[in-house]
Amino acid sequence: MSIDWQQEMSRRQDEMMERLQELCSIESVLDESTAGPGAPFGKGIAEALNYILDLGEKEGFRTKNVDGYAGHVEYGEGEEILGILAHLDVVPTGEGWTSPPFSPEIRDGKFYARGAQDDKGPAMAAFFALKLVKELGLPLNKRVRLILGTDEETHWRDMDYYFQREPMPETGFTPDADFPIIHAEKGLLDLTLTGTAPAATDGESDWTLARFEAGQRVNMVPELAAARLEGEGDVFALKEKYQEYLLSHGIRGYAEEADDHLMLVVEGVAHHGSEPDRGVNAAYRLTRFLDGLSLDERGGRYIAFINDLLADAFFGEHLGIEQADERVGRLTVNGGVFRYEPGEGQHAELNIRYPISGDVEAIRRQVEEKTKAYGLLIAEEDHKPGHFVDPEHPLVQTLRKVYEEETGKTGEPFAIGGATYARALKTGVVFGPLFPGTAETAHQKDEFIPVDELVKAAALYARAIYELAK
């Protein structure tokens, strides 16, 4: 049977983009303040899940909502299950968008919205791929399940809950990174560090660090950082010094003076935490300046912790955990969240991605040994082991055939530092949606995906479903 997959999907482009516009209008950011039965991660996320399950029901698919933690849209018959895993939760938006992040727009052939790349756009592409297979009446001897998660950007509680109640697919893929095929991912260790921070009592410093904050999520490079300084120092001289620092380093920021304090703010560039060296960490930019001031002892120690162990040491050099392997490359460290306030405590969240050959316990011990000197201890941790599928596995080989025949380009599988739902499967890989050379804007302001490339990806998914489940 000869099918022009690209042409078939192009006929459905307008409908797909309309449905995606509706899905991306839903603010599906984790909000535990609105959590409840059927909405464990908040009303917005539950609304997004219900939207696509309702859409599946209208299209004649079998659907199931697993208590709001996850759900699936299913088509086909057979004992075996082919899984396609996507997620509907998104990270916070941050500031500085050209258009509102939950009011999707198409400009110059690009679809702009939070979730356009990560992962609502790919989820909708996979949905329409399954719809295409159904509408063409293609025979399948497997059940194809589009499994929709809701907690991928935080702790993966959705997948734990779902797979305790639903069968594990024999094989599958997730449309949540890059083409052609990602067959290996680094191990992932998130550490939350905390310590006491009693109110400052010494009067020997010019300034007291009354507050420091940066970042919203551990897997995002902080885009903004702010420090509140109080004390008897020369405010004019400090503001002048700060402006010189910003200008000499090409940094955007400002100083805001009030009656009893001075607020210093720095802008960075957000990026995905798997590539911390490709963003600009605002916390590091600000602490570089603060480290040169006469600060109170406890505040100074917190700033020194960031400067000594983390600032611009993206590969764990100063923590003593630097390492690499041939399959996935170097270990990375992203300082994603920082909070400090005397009388409240000190807090930091680190996102560490380590080689498959790495020893996670040794990494953990070394971080604890280094940070305790600054009054910080590991309070929480979230660990996901590395993931690897043999490049010769039939799943990989089939997807490679689909990619190469549809694009005319090589489909050599590769490894990444990101953590995707591929590792939620026993045998899972990543298949798109970004083609080589496409800008990665996930977790950034003005997130977008080119419309023509999303349609092209959907066509690849449709053929992949057919090839893997026929």
Side-chain angles (χ1 to χ4, degrees):
M1 180 182 291
S2 178
I3 300 171
D4 188 331
W5 299 95
Q6 298 292 334
Q7 185 180 74
E8 289 288 350
M9 193 55 70
S10 292
R11 291 172 180 160
R12 294 157 173 82
Q13 173 177 323
D14 290 346
E15 183 187 0
M16 184 174 78
M17 298 313 298
E18 286 176 13
R19 299 292 86 76
L20 180 58
Q21 197 156 20
E22 292 168 355
L23 179 61
C24 286
S25 297
I26 301 170
E27 191 169 345
S28 55
V29 179
L30 175 68
D31 182 6
E32 293 178 335
S33 69
T34 61
F41 310 117
K43 290 183 178 179
I45 289 176
E47 184 182 349
L49 178 60
N50 288 327
Y51 172 85
I52 203 162
L53 293 179
D54 289 345
L55 190 62
E57 197 168 314
K58 291 173 185 175
E59 293 292 343
F61 294 118
R62 297 183 293 273
T63 65
K64 185 173 183 179
N65 187 330
V66 184
D67 301 327
Y69 281 83
H72 64 246
V73 172
E74 183 181 272
Y75 177 67
E77 305 295 336
E79 292 296 320
E80 291 187 33
I81 298 174
L82 170 68
I84 306 172
L85 277 63
H87 66 91
L88 302 175
D89 60 313
V90 297
V91 295
T93 58
E95 304 292 333
W97 285 66
T98 303
S99 56
F102 295 108
S103 296
E105 285 189 5
I106 295 177
R107 302 194 299 272
D108 300 322
K110 299 173 182 176
F111 179 87
Y112 288 86
R114 175 57 90 218
Q117 278 190 17
D118 187 21
D119 190 37
K120 290 178 177 178
M124 191 60 72
F127 180 92
F128 269 76
L130 195 59
K131 183 176 185 289
L132 174 55
V133 171
K134 178 177 181 292
E135 289 176 348
L136 292 179
L138 299 176
L140 305 180
N141 64 13
K142 295 180 183 178
R143 287 179 286 156
V144 182
R145 277 191 176 180
L146 173 57
I147 301 170
L148 302 154
T150 59
D151 190 38
E152 195 270 353
E153 297 293 2
T154 48
H155 302 299
W156 289 35
R157 293 163 289 186
D158 53 347
M159 291 295 101
D160 292 340
Y161 192 93
Y162 179 85
F163 284 121
Q164 287 171 7
R165 290 157 179 81
E166 295 292 324
M168 173 68 67
E170 280 70 21
T171 60
F173 65 87
T174 179
D176 194 17
D178 302 296
F179 284 119
I181 301 150
I182 296 167
H183 73 110
E185 299 180 5
K186 293 177 182 177
L188 182 63
L189 179 64
D190 289 342
L191 298 177
T192 299
L193 308 169
T194 62
T196 59
T201 56
D202 67 79
E204 300 177 1
S205 60
D206 293 334
W207 303 101
T208 294
L209 183 65
R211 187 184 307 137
F212 183 93
E213 54 188 354
Q216 297 175 295
R217 291 283 178 86
V218 69
N219 61 349
M220 295 174 66
V221 174
E223 185 177 28
L224 288 173
R228 174 175 170 142
L229 301 178
E230 300 175 356
E232 303 300 324
D234 187 331
V235 172
F236 179 80
L238 179 58
K239 289 175 66 176
E240 189 173 49
K241 183 177 181 180
Y242 185 58
Q243 291 300 325
E244 290 175 358
Y245 172 77
L246 295 177
L247 288 170
S248 64
H249 290 83
I251 299 170
R252 296 183 64 180
Y254 61 89
E256 188 172 78
E257 186 178 352
D259 291 341
D260 60 347
H261 70 271
L262 180 66
M263 187 71 74
L264 305 180
V265 178
V266 161
E267 292 184 25
V269 178
H271 196 77
H272 197 288
S274 63
E275 299 174 314
D277 54 314
R278 294 184 61 184
V280 177
N281 194 310
Y284 300 166
R285 300 282 80 80
L286 185 52
T287 56
R288 286 300 192 202
F289 174 76
L290 294 173
D291 193 48
L293 304 183
S294 173
L295 293 176
D296 66 286
E297 181 181 356
R298 294 186 184 92
R301 185 176 67 173
Y302 184 75
I303 296 304
F305 149 69
I306 300 174
N307 272 312
D308 296 350
L309 301 184
L310 301 174
D312 302 325
F314 305 113
F315 306 106
E317 308 96 309
H318 298 162
L319 285 167
I321 57 175
E322 189 176 16
Q323 55 191 269
D325 71 19
E326 293 181 357
R327 288 184 287 185
V328 296
R330 302 174 75 179
L331 175 149
T332 60
V333 179
N334 181 55
V337 179
F338 298 96
R339 301 284 185 268
Y340 174 89
E341 188 170 351
E344 296 294 329
Q346 50 185 340
H347 176 103
E349 297 178 27
L350 309 183
N351 178 242
I352 301 171
R353 298 168 190 252
Y354 66 91
I356 293 172
S357 59
D359 181 344
V360 67
E361 285 304 316
I363 293 169
R364 184 190 183 282
R365 286 195 301 271
Q366 179 65 14
V367 172
E368 192 163 52
E369 181 65 29
K370 286 282 190 177
T371 58
K372 70 179 183 180
Y374 298 86
L376 289 156
L377 297 173
I378 296 173
E380 296 178 27
E381 62 180 279
D382 184 18
H383 176 235
K384 297 178 182 68
H387 180 70
F388 178 83
V389 176
D390 191 321
E392 299 303 317
H393 191 282
L395 170 68
V396 178
Q397 290 301 307
T398 299
L399 292 176
R400 181 169 184 171
K401 172 190 171 185
V402 168
Y403 181 82
E404 291 182 344
E405 291 185 358
E406 289 294 317
T407 67
K409 299 177 180 178
T410 180
E412 184 73 28
F414 64 102
I416 61 166
T420 74
Y421 276 158
R423 69 178 72 207
L425 296 168
K426 291 179 181 177
T427 306
V429 297
V430 182
F431 193 48
L434 299 186
F435 291 90
T438 301
E440 182 185 329
T441 56
H443 295 203
Q444 301 177 42
K445 63 185 177 183
D446 285 344
E447 179 182 349
F448 73 85
I449 193 163
V451 174
D452 61 341
E453 292 197 8
L454 188 62
V455 174
K456 188 177 178 181
L460 288 176
Y461 296 150
R463 181 174 174 187
I465 288 169
Y466 179 59
E467 296 284 354
L468 290 167
K470 68 182 180 181

